[in-house]
Amino acid sequence: MLAASALPLAAAEPESGATRKLKVVCVGGHPDDPESGCAGTLTRYAQLGHSVTIIYLTRGERGISGKSLDEAARIRSAECEAACKIMGAKPVFFGQIDGATELNKAHVDTMTKLLSAESPDVVFTHWPIDTHMDHQVASFLTIRAWMALRKPRLYFFEVNSGSQTEGFLPNTYVDITSLVEKKKAALFAHVSQDGEGIWRQHHEVIANWRGREAGVSAAEAFVHLSRDSQTTKLPGV
Ligand SMILES: [Zn+2]
């Protein structure tokens, strides 16, 4: 963890001699988004013995030409499961449809119940200013759910900055130098959307750039909503 404004990763704080397990939840719009934004950080949490759950808002069902929504959903759900296995995370599928996601009271209630049941210490989601509406819906559903809970620390991740995420000025960095291979493997598990291409064209560049900003070889960067806690330290990593 980097000194500047570290994620509460290392926050496996000893409590009466025992190490407290943190609960981490990441909400992404499509298969590959949590991996693109924070696979390194999520893997690190899992390696440290914390529990990591990834909520995929959709199953990416619209992305495979020549395949029905159901067929694509099956293929991509299996890819999510493979990626989660690599990261040490548990996948949960929210059940909205790729390209047709909605932000409404019923979905806010569902997300609030899901998050509430997980009782997370740390929540990650998309930065809300993004050219893809599904990313925005994932972000706002999570923000609304977080506002009902208030307890978890909320961090926003970036995906394909400049093309999708916009106006992202990170204040928290996680050194993923030793986790780059894991991040690549998690992304590469998304074969049907050319995870290798996503890495090469977008997230390899971003990992290197954020690493330069943080003074390490490779990093993931986040915006921590400063209102949610007094500290800027990421718990547990
Ligand atoms: Zn996406």
Side-chain angles (χ1 to χ4, degrees):
M1 194 44 24
L2 301 166
S5 52
L7 252 163
L9 286 174
E13 294 138 0
E15 276 182 5
S16 58
T19 301
R20 190 169 81 86
K21 266 184 95 176
L22 296 176
K23 297 200 84 178
V24 177
V25 174
C26 177
V27 183
H30 310 109
D32 95 280
D33 287 325
E35 292 83 345
S36 293
C38 45
T41 302
L42 297 179
T43 302
R44 183 72 186 130
Y45 269 119
Q47 286 177 345
L48 289 168
H50 304 299
S51 102
V52 179
T53 299
I54 295 181
I55 300 173
Y56 296 95
L57 185 63
T58 75
R59 296 172 186 261
E61 36 282 271
R62 216 171 291 277
I64 310 180
S65 69
K67 299 271 185 216
S68 70
L69 297 190
D70 280 351
E71 281 176 295
R74 259 196 306 281
I75 291 166
R76 294 208 161 155
S77 303
E79 291 171 350
C80 289
E81 276 156 22
C84 281
K85 206 165 184 186
I86 290 162
M87 293 182 284
K90 174 184 81 173
V92 171
F93 297 97
F94 187 94
Q96 290 215 41
I97 301 298
D98 182 12
T101 57
E102 294 177 348
L103 176 64
N104 59 33
K105 178 87 171 57
H107 288 313
V108 168
D109 289 347
T110 302
M111 185 64 84
T112 304
K113 280 192 195 119
L114 263 179
L115 268 198
S116 181
E118 292 287 335
S119 188
D121 300 283
V122 185
V123 173
F124 294 95
T125 192
H126 290 266
W127 175 247
I129 306 169
D130 192 292
T131 56
H132 202 311
M133 195 167 138
D134 292 344
H135 298 173
Q136 295 191 287
V137 171
S139 183
F140 279 108
L141 286 175
T142 309
I143 291 168
R144 295 301 317 176
W146 174 81
M147 284 176 169
L149 304 178
R150 289 288 178 186
K151 183 183 147 258
R153 297 198 202 166
L154 180 60
Y155 294 83
F156 298 102
F157 61 77
E158 60 183 328
V159 288
N160 193 358
S161 288
S163 173
Q164 293 186 326
T165 294
E166 293 185 3
F168 185 80
L169 298 172
N171 57 16
T172 303
Y173 292 81
V174 175
D175 180 359
I176 62 157
T177 305
S178 65
L179 298 157
V180 165
E181 291 308 315
K182 283 278 192 185
K183 176 162 184 157
K184 285 165 70 177
L187 259 177
F188 292 7
H190 294 281
V191 177
S192 73
Q193 44 183 332
D194 186 18
E196 288 197 49
I198 293 173
W199 171 252
R200 257 196 326 277
Q201 289 165 36
H202 309 297
H203 285 281
E204 182 171 29
V205 180
I206 291 172
N208 291 339
W209 178 250
R210 296 307 183 195
R212 287 182 183 212
E213 290 182 319
V216 297
S217 293
E220 285 170 344
F222 303 94
V223 173
H224 174 215
L225 183 65
S226 62
R227 172 175 178 153
D228 72 3
S229 94
Q230 296 304 311
T231 170
T232 54
K233 199 170 174 290
L234 229 176
V237 201

